[in-house]
Amino acid sequence: MNAVSADSRKGWSVNMEDRSTALEITLLKRTYVLPWNQFLYAEGGDDEVRAVFATHDVIIKGAGLMALLADLAAQNVTVVQEPSRPDRFQTGADRLIREVIVQKVEAG
């Protein structure tokens, strides 16, 4: 049995037992699947996290995102989900995602 944490209030899911091969980014109008073997690094703080892949940058804004940063560093995250418009304005949540931006890396 896999230990999967899916807390819709925080906006991401992790799998603590099996290493996922990809990160799924579910936006309101598009879904991206980015392979973990293209993951370069993550940086940020409680209000914003940036995950850098070979082909895309993923910028996540919200609250309590240090936990997400740790999960990204361990490559345990399976899904990051963009919230619906009403969910972006929640108050009182310790951990939540307000906005997810996926940008294609331009070849220099």
Side-chain angles (χ1 to χ4, degrees):
M1 182 173 157
N2 293 341
V4 176
S5 169
D7 185 347
S8 62
R9 291 171 297 167
K10 72 180 183 183
W12 71 90
S13 301
V14 298
N15 185 337
M16 300 304 286
E17 289 186 8
D18 297 326
R19 181 170 230 152
S20 176
T21 58
L23 170 62
E24 180 180 317
I25 308 291
T26 305
L27 304 179
L28 297 178
K29 295 186 177 188
R30 178 168 287 200
T31 298
Y32 294 86
V33 178
L34 302 173
W36 278 117
N37 66 2
Q38 292 186 9
F39 176 68
L40 300 174
Y41 68 93
E43 64 181 358
D46 258 354
D47 60 345
E48 183 174 307
V49 168
R50 177 177 170 228
V52 178
F53 290 80
T55 58
H56 291 79
D57 285 351
V58 180
I59 300 163
I60 303 161
K61 298 179 181 182
L65 297 181
M66 286 303 292
L68 173 60
L69 187 59
D71 288 340
L72 286 168
Q75 297 182 10
N76 290 332
V77 182
T78 56
V79 177
V80 172
Q81 188 163 1
E82 181 180 28
S84 64
R85 184 163 168 73
D87 290 341
R88 292 180 188 192
F89 303 105
Q90 286 182 10
T91 57
D94 291 339
R95 299 178 185 173
L96 77 111
I97 291 175
R98 286 189 182 11
E99 182 179 10
V100 180
I101 302 163
V102 178
Q103 300 172 329
K104 188 171 185 173
V105 174
E106 298 298 325

